[in-house]
Amino acid sequence: MAMEIVYRVKRFDGEKSYYQEYSIPYEKDRTILWGLIKIRDEIDPTLSFRSACRSAICGSCAIRVNSNALLACKTSLDKQLALYQTNILTLEPLANFPVIRDLVVDWENKFKHMTEVKPWLIGEKDCPGGTGYYRQSPDEFLEISNPTDCILCGCCVSECTQHTNLRDEFYEPFIFTKSWRFTADSRDNSPKAHLLPVLNEGGLWKCVRCQQCITKCPKGVRPADHISRLRCSSMNYGFTDNLGTRHAQAFAEYIQKTGRLNEVTLPLKTEGIFRTLKRIPFALRLLRKGKLRPLYFPSPIQGIEGIRKIYNRLRKEEKK
Amino acid sequence: MLTYDVVIVGGGGAGMRAALEAARDKSLQVAVFSKTYPTRSHTGAAQGGINGAFAFKDPTDSIEKHFKDTVKGSDFLGDQNAIDFFVNECPECILELERMGVPFSRDEFGRIAQRPFGGASSPRTCYSADKTGHVILHTLYEQCLKHGVKFYNEWFLLELVVDKGRFQGLIVQNMHDGCIHPVNTKSVVIATGGFGRIYWNRTTNALNMTGDGTAACFNAGIPLKDPEFVQFHPTGLAGTGILMSEASRGEGGYLINKNGERFMSRYAPEKMELGPRDLVSRAIETEIREGRGVGGNGNFYVLLDLRHLGKKKILERLPQIRELAIDFENLDPIEHPIPIRPSCHYMMGGIHVSDHTTCSTPVPGIHAAGECACVSIHGANRLGGNSLADVIVFGKAAGKGACLSAKELSSGAEPILLKRTAYWEEKFRTMREKGHGLKVAEVRDRLAATMWNNVGIFRTEKEMEKALSEVEELLQEYNSCYIGDSSTKYNSAFIQYVETGNLLNLAKAVALAAIARKESRGCHARDDYPTRDDANFLKHSTVTKIGDEYKLSYIPVTITKYQPEERRY
Ligand SMILES: Cc1cc2nc3c(=O)[nH]c(=O)nc-3n(C[C@H](O)[C@H](O)[C@H](O)COP(=O)(O)OP(=O)(O)OC[C@H]3O[C@@H](n4cnc5c(N)ncnc54)[C@H](O)[C@@H]3O)c2cc1C
Ligand code: FES
């Protein structure tokens, strides 16, 4: 049976954008990129998209298919058709990037952000005078192995809920990964230099841990984990005078005490009395809808001893 | 007019290494033009590693052994003075990378880890799992950001302007808005990579490896050296040509034919799967020819078996290879052998470099480094891990060389640069307006078919003549191509049109030099002349383009301390 598949492509010519449908005959074991190339070679040479290595390493070909960012070269057409139970796929440029033409997006600004975290080794710790080489143990290498898998494809940027929401107040996820890559490098002599920009400019504590960056990364890189590690690092360096740290500490405190949160007093601990006052209208709305119990002071849950043991154990490990 | 002292064309390993070197001289204005964002360059696809004789893994290794391996690997066509320079520079250049921050895999002493590679008498290939090129490329980019190197990303080199033997500058197109600009510069480093795409789909190369810089030099009258030497990598995925790194053999993978036999025992009884690439590729094709290939329906291959390495080793040392096999062949190497077949991988030949210490070409001010250049250290066959090393060593030398040139030479003449700009503007306009003709992709596909079928792994006069006349026909037909895109913005159809033209010009030189070399040497394997003929062919071919004429001549090979002998593994 000669099945047709349809690529519904979001086009942009510099002024207007519109959707255009292309039908191509189905072939087994092909990739999304195969279809794009086929359209460009055989149907419409004006269709613009990027691709180079066609083996998931150069990061050129990231696009959105049915609103999910992916690498066109690595993604099986069959699997996408099966996933959506359809023969029509909608292809769009990555979100959160300016579009140049069709599926081609502009990266210049992202590289500027990247430069802010000083993505280079600040060193000379063990190789004085810039000769010889640094020793690094296989374990220390493993620490930076995952973050150095990043191919700068932009999938995480496109799908990050908080970057979509806050734009300039929250860095693109891969930039946290870059920052962590150097903060964690045993050879680096100035980890703070990579960490402070994400803390001050990048919105380190604003990540809502939705895990989209991890889910969407085609290379298994884990930006959200790197954000967590950066948060820990920042606290270890003593940068604790901020909402994020207080919030995290309050969380930890509650759980140790009772095994559950108290949402009435949590904002007080995190934000202090003045900011919390500002939240009163919101609290009243919650109250009206029955979402808040003002007089509720939770008693410890069953098995709280177990939780406290975990805490003690962690503290001991930390001291070591 | 854009004016610089030193311009680098190409943002891959060689280009960025050159840029870093040139940027050290603060008195010079330096810029990099690249048709992709630098981190998209094909250097990133290099998986296996980079050679340097540190003797970490094997205390008996030495610079001397690296020298001998490289000379022997080149089938004695490499220039020994250049190879000597190269092997001596490799270790320090790799340490520089390490100090820049390249995350190398480590041994238990915290030193850079090394693995065995084909054609090497000791394990000397430094690596970062199987993503060595990727981490080098990204580190170089980060270093360029650190040093404030000026990048023109997605700017395409159209032409090198040389007038009466004097370099004037270049003509480039900003792909984003289509504007064509002259660039006035005193010196240039061409670092635009290889041109494996003359075989279109039967290559491990990226879609845009079309040899634009090589073609620009060729058009500007600089000879192409040894273009007939095309390396076919033994282990491309059978379906797509995507590379399974040599690390897969280095780590102990087996090659198996349809009878389940490790057939390399017949071709390289000592080295087995770790024979050099040319030999292993021919062995695989011979197995297939003689009916011992797996598969059917004209689609034959052999199997790369990693299963005995075990899950742990595969996950630790070859994670990317595993992922590629899963994504592109739907097979997990932990459980299944992988179908593979040789694919075009690397161009030993390229822009004629006449002085390896500065990477200069016969035209003062024009330097070349990386895969686009032919120094020649790889001769008739490159060893795995020697190309990344080449890119770093000679990228650095070219950066230095270009600075020296910039101090000696004056700027180009603006009138001629403006004239050539006008020529390209006119060409871009007519191509955008042209409504019908031949499809560029069709010409490209026919070129690839004839090159694969007739100038492939095994070659004969008759077949190559056929290819030559077909390429000549295609060069004619190319004139009637149309691009079908009238936009000025990101007009990739126009770019592909120019790239295809470049491929045609280069393919013709490949065929021409291959026909004339009536011997078998390295990866140039002729059925009609099956042995090496040092008496007549221990020399470099050069092809020079004068107008539309191609002139073939030869220059001597430099032999210093290692006299040619039979090449056995
Ligand atoms: C799949 C694969 C795996 C490999 N693995 C290894 C390995 O393990 N070890 C090893 O030593 N070697 C390996 N090689 C070979 C090695 O990677 C390459 O030869 C080397 O990286 C080439 O580097 P380069 O800087 O010369 O070119 P590239 O990295 O290809 O860069 C070329 C640059 O030029 C730019 N450019 C091209 N044309 C134009 C134009 N018209 N205008 C402007 N800019 C232009 C491109 O955008 C790009 O930035 C491998 C090759 C392949 C294909
Ligand atoms: S084409 Fe390189 S990542 Fe897809």
Side-chain angles (χ1 to χ4, degrees):
Chain A
M1 184 196 63
M3 184 174 98
E4 291 275 307
I5 43 174
V6 176
Y7 277 15
R8 197 170 151 265
V9 184
K10 183 169 189 187
R11 309 219 41 197
F12 175 67
D13 61 10
E15 277 152 27
K16 55 184 191 309
S17 64
Y18 55 98
Y19 285 87
Q20 184 165 352
E21 292 192 354
Y22 299 99
S23 300
I24 45 176
Y26 168 81
E27 286 183 30
K28 198 173 154 318
D29 283 339
R30 297 296 188 183
T31 60
I32 297 286
L33 180 62
W34 164 84
L36 283 170
I37 292 178
K38 194 166 175 73
I39 293 169
R40 186 167 70 187
D41 278 357
E42 296 174 16
I43 307 174
D44 184 357
T46 70
L47 181 64
S48 296
F49 53 91
R50 287 197 185 103
S51 61
C53 71
R54 53 89 175 87
S55 56
I57 192 70
C58 77
S60 302
C61 67
I63 56 167
R64 286 182 118 193
V65 173
N66 289 5
S67 301
N68 283 288
L70 45 76
L71 290 182
C73 71
K74 168 184 162 122
T75 306
S76 144
L77 188 56
D78 291 325
K79 284 188 189 150
Q80 290 287 303
L81 297 177
L83 177 66
Y84 296 108
Q85 296 284 306
T86 174
N87 65 339
I88 304 175
L89 295 173
T90 300
L91 278 62
E92 293 166 319
L94 290 181
N96 297 332
F97 281 86
V99 180
I100 295 169
R101 185 179 176 187
D102 298 343
L103 303 176
V104 176
V105 297
D106 192 346
W107 270 83
E108 287 308 327
N109 228 352
K110 312 294 173 197
F111 293 135
K112 272 198 204 113
H113 272 167
M114 197 170 110
T115 313
E116 288 170 12
V117 303
K118 303 195 174 60
W120 46 78
L121 214 57
I122 305 176
E124 309 238 317
K125 190 160 53 176
D126 311 313
C127 16
T131 58
Y133 62 97
Y134 297 98
R135 302 282 168 130
Q136 186 168 55
S137 72
D139 284 341
E140 286 166 337
F141 162 75
L142 279 183
E143 272 289 297
I144 54 171
S145 176
N146 181 271
T148 51
D149 280 344
C150 172
I151 59 172
L152 303 179
C153 66
C155 286
C156 60
V157 181
S158 176
E159 305 312 307
C160 172
T161 45
Q162 199 61 320
H163 181 66
T164 306
N165 200 14
L166 298 174
R167 299 278 143 169
D168 289 344
E169 290 169 48
F170 187 67
Y171 273 164
E172 296 78 358
F174 77 87
I175 295 184
F176 292 98
T177 289
K178 263 293 173 233
S179 162
W180 176 242
R181 178 249 172 280
F182 286 96
T183 307
D185 195 322
S186 66
R187 298 170 292 177
D188 196 277
N189 212 7
S190 187
K192 270 194 252 177
H194 313 292
L195 191 146
L196 282 175
V198 297
L199 184 66
N200 297 333
E201 270 82 52
L204 179 62
W205 286 99
K206 291 185 176 146
C207 167
V208 295
R209 305 172 59 94
C210 71
Q211 310 286 313
Q212 280 285 13
C213 53
I214 293 183
T215 320
K216 293 293 152 59
C217 177
K219 299 302 283 184
V221 178
R222 306 181 62 82
D225 285 358
H226 305 143
I227 289 177
S228 300
R229 309 283 301 269
L230 284 163
R231 287 176 173 179
C232 291
S233 267
S234 76
M235 291 192 280
N236 290 340
Y237 281 118
F239 300 112
T240 49
D241 188 18
N242 54 51
L243 294 183
T245 306
R246 282 197 294 274
H247 191 66
Q249 282 168 343
F251 244 82
E253 217 175 281
Y254 281 129
I255 301 295
Q256 187 179 10
K257 238 193 227 154
T258 62
R260 57 182 132 207
L261 287 181
N262 183 338
E263 294 194 328
V264 178
T265 51
L266 184 63
L268 272 171
K269 293 211 182 221
T270 308
E271 304 192 307
I273 187 100
F274 284 110
R275 273 171 168 261
T276 305
L277 284 177
K278 277 201 223 142
R279 294 204 188 263
I280 283 180
F282 179 59
L284 288 176
R285 281 203 304 278
L286 284 178
L287 205 60
R288 212 176 306 138
K289 294 249 156 76
K291 301 253 160 147
L292 204 62
R293 293 156 67 191
L295 298 176
Y296 171 69
F297 287 95
S299 50
I301 58 163
Q302 221 180 357
I304 183 71
E305 298 77 22
I307 293 180
R308 291 181 186 152
K309 263 190 206 149
I310 296 176
Y311 271 75
N312 288 339
R313 181 75 180 274
L314 277 172
R315 297 252 146 80
K316 253 188 225 151
E317 288 289 317
E318 236 174 30
K319 280 212 186 94
K320 268 194 224 156
Chain B
M1 190 176 292
L2 294 169
T3 305
Y4 287 97
D5 298 304
V6 179
V7 159
I8 285 121
V9 186
M16 289 201 285
R17 188 63 192 82
L20 283 173
E21 204 55 28
R24 290 162 64 113
D25 189 331
K26 299 287 176 232
S27 70
L28 297 174
Q29 295 292 320
V30 181
V32 180
F33 289 79
S34 176
K35 74 173 171 181
T36 61
Y37 288 111
T39 57
R40 317 282 184 230
S41 304
H42 208 56
T43 293
Q47 301 165 351
I50 175 166
N51 293 343
F54 290 109
F56 289 156
K57 173 100 181 185
D58 171 3
T60 72
D61 195 18
S62 64
I63 303 269
E64 199 50 32
K65 277 172 87 177
H66 190 188
F67 172 83
K68 280 197 118 178
D69 289 342
T70 305
V71 175
K72 182 175 172 190
S74 80
D75 219 346
F76 299 91
L77 196 69
D79 289 314
Q80 296 186 13
N81 55 345
I83 294 175
D84 205 29
F85 171 84
F86 166 72
V87 294
N88 274 289
E89 289 291 309
C90 284
E92 177 51 26
C93 284
I94 293 171
L95 293 187
E96 273 170 8
L97 289 178
E98 198 280 334
R99 292 196 296 271
M100 286 177 192
V102 169
F104 282 108
S105 294
R106 302 286 166 158
D107 66 10
E108 70 266 37
F109 306 107
R111 305 173 301 192
I112 297 173
Q114 296 186 292
R115 62 163 50 120
F117 241 43
S121 55
S122 287
R124 74 170 69 92
T125 305
C126 307
Y127 62 94
S128 177
D130 51 4
K131 49 178 186 184
T132 315
H134 164 75
V135 294
I136 291 176
L137 184 71
H138 282 249
T139 303
L140 288 173
Y141 182 57
E142 290 155 4
Q143 287 293 309
C144 286
L145 291 178
K146 174 178 177 188
H147 293 285
V149 171
K150 170 83 188 152
F151 282 102
Y152 289 86
N153 295 327
E154 307 210 288
W155 285 55
F156 187 92
L157 170 74
L158 294 166
E159 181 182 334
L160 282 171
V161 184
V162 173
D163 189 37
K164 301 187 192 76
R166 261 213 59 201
F167 171 58
Q168 309 291 336
L170 35 144
I171 312 296
V172 289
Q173 179 174 41
N174 176 349
M175 290 161 65
H176 291 194
D177 61 12
C179 284
I180 291 167
H181 299 260
V183 184
N184 196 340
T185 174
K186 294 173 187 159
S187 69
V188 69
V189 177
I190 302 296
T192 47
F195 53 95
R197 283 280 155 179
I198 57 175
Y199 297 93
W200 201 244
N201 269 334
R202 284 240 58 103
T203 177
T204 61
N205 287 190
L207 288 153
N208 53 8
M209 295 198 62
T210 50
D212 308 330
T214 316
C217 286
F218 191 46
N219 287 329
I222 298 172
L224 210 64
K225 186 158 74 193
D226 295 336
E228 67 272 37
F229 293 101
V230 177
Q231 180 169 76
F232 293 87
H233 197 293
T235 52
L237 286 179
T240 50
I242 287 171
L243 181 72
M244 295 284 99
S245 163
E246 188 150 311
S248 58
R249 288 183 291 134
E251 295 293 352
Y254 295 155
L255 292 172
I256 308 280
N257 64 16
K258 90 169 177 201
N259 306 326
E261 175 198 13
R262 273 178 80 189
F263 56 85
M264 283 311 297
S265 62
R266 265 180 281 122
Y267 304 87
E270 259 175 55
K271 292 239 149 180
M272 295 292 287
E273 280 84 359
L274 283 176
R277 289 177 179 170
D278 54 338
L279 199 155
V280 181
S281 286
R282 283 198 294 277
I284 296 173
E285 285 301 299
T286 307
E287 289 297 300
I288 292 173
R289 271 185 178 192
E290 293 176 356
R292 291 187 294 276
V294 191
N297 278 339
N299 195 3
F300 290 97
Y301 49 85
V302 298
L303 297 169
L304 172 66
D305 196 346
L306 302 178
R307 289 174 299 181
H308 58 284
L309 301 181
K311 189 169 171 179
K312 182 161 176 281
K313 194 163 179 185
I314 294 177
L315 289 179
E316 202 174 284
R317 305 270 181 89
L318 306 166
Q320 201 196 149
I321 287 182
R322 170 166 181 258
E323 210 180 302
L324 289 172
I326 293 174
D327 289 340
F328 297 100
E329 287 285 343
N330 220 347
L331 290 174
D332 186 342
I334 294 174
E335 282 149 29
H336 303 277
I338 315 161
I340 52 106
R341 206 176 163 177
S343 305
C344 164
H345 185 58
Y346 185 84
M347 295 296 165
M348 268 70 72
I351 304 162
H352 172 38
V353 165
S354 42
D355 176 355
H356 64 265
T357 58
T358 55
C359 290
S360 45
T361 66
V363 176
I366 302 185
H367 302 250
E371 189 171 341
C372 66
C374 180
V375 167
S376 150
I377 57 163
H378 307 303
N381 174 60
R382 168 180 76 91
L383 294 187
N386 262 0
S387 171
L388 283 178
D390 167 350
V391 154
I392 298 304
V393 169
F394 291 106
K396 183 178 173 187
K400 260 192 207 143
C403 288
L404 292 176
S405 292
K407 290 186 168 150
E408 280 168 14
L409 302 171
S410 49
S411 301
E414 301 213 337
I416 181 154
L417 287 170
L418 291 171
K419 201 173 117 197
R420 295 311 297 165
T421 307
Y423 164 84
W424 280 101
E425 280 170 342
E426 177 59 19
K427 179 151 192 138
F428 187 40
R429 195 180 57 78
T430 39
M431 288 313 291
R432 285 195 341 264
E433 285 170 2
K434 195 167 174 181
H436 57 273
L438 208 59
K439 278 187 176 152
V440 177
E442 197 182 314
V443 171
R444 178 199 76 198
D445 290 346
R446 277 164 57 199
L447 167 71
T450 192
M451 290 304 284
W452 178 254
N453 293 329
N454 302 314
V455 198
I457 297 174
F458 290 104
R459 302 170 170 184
T460 63
E461 172 122 14
K462 198 167 134 235
E463 285 171 345
M464 289 191 289
E465 286 290 357
K466 188 164 156 230
L468 182 62
S469 66
E470 265 186 82
V471 175
E472 277 170 344
E473 254 167 58
L474 287 169
L475 271 163
Q476 289 306 317
E477 293 183 28
Y478 176 70
N479 293 325
S480 57
C481 277
Y482 84 115
I483 61 169
D485 187 354
S486 60
S487 169
T488 50
K489 253 187 200 287
Y490 216 89
N491 191 324
S492 31
F494 179 68
I495 296 292
Q496 274 165 30
Y497 164 76
V498 178
E499 289 175 337
T500 303
N502 292 336
L503 289 176
L504 286 167
N505 275 326
L506 297 171
K508 181 174 164 184
V510 171
L512 204 72
I515 293 169
R517 186 173 284 276
K518 296 185 174 19
E519 65 158 351
S520 289
R521 182 185 297 273
C523 63
H524 176 66
R526 292 193 54 160
D527 282 340
D528 43 359
Y529 299 94
T531 52
R532 198 172 82 194
D533 177 359
D534 285 345
N536 293 304
F537 288 103
L538 186 52
K539 56 189 180 184
H540 297 292
S541 325
T542 60
V543 186
T544 314
K545 188 163 175 275
I546 304 160
D548 283 339
E549 291 298 306
Y550 284 45
K551 197 175 123 271
L552 183 69
S553 49
Y554 294 91
I555 54 175
V557 176
T558 308
I559 293 168
T560 56
K561 50 189 173 188
Y562 189 3
Q563 290 307 313
E565 59 184 25
E566 195 195 340
R567 186 167 163 254
R568 255 200 297 195
Y569 287 95

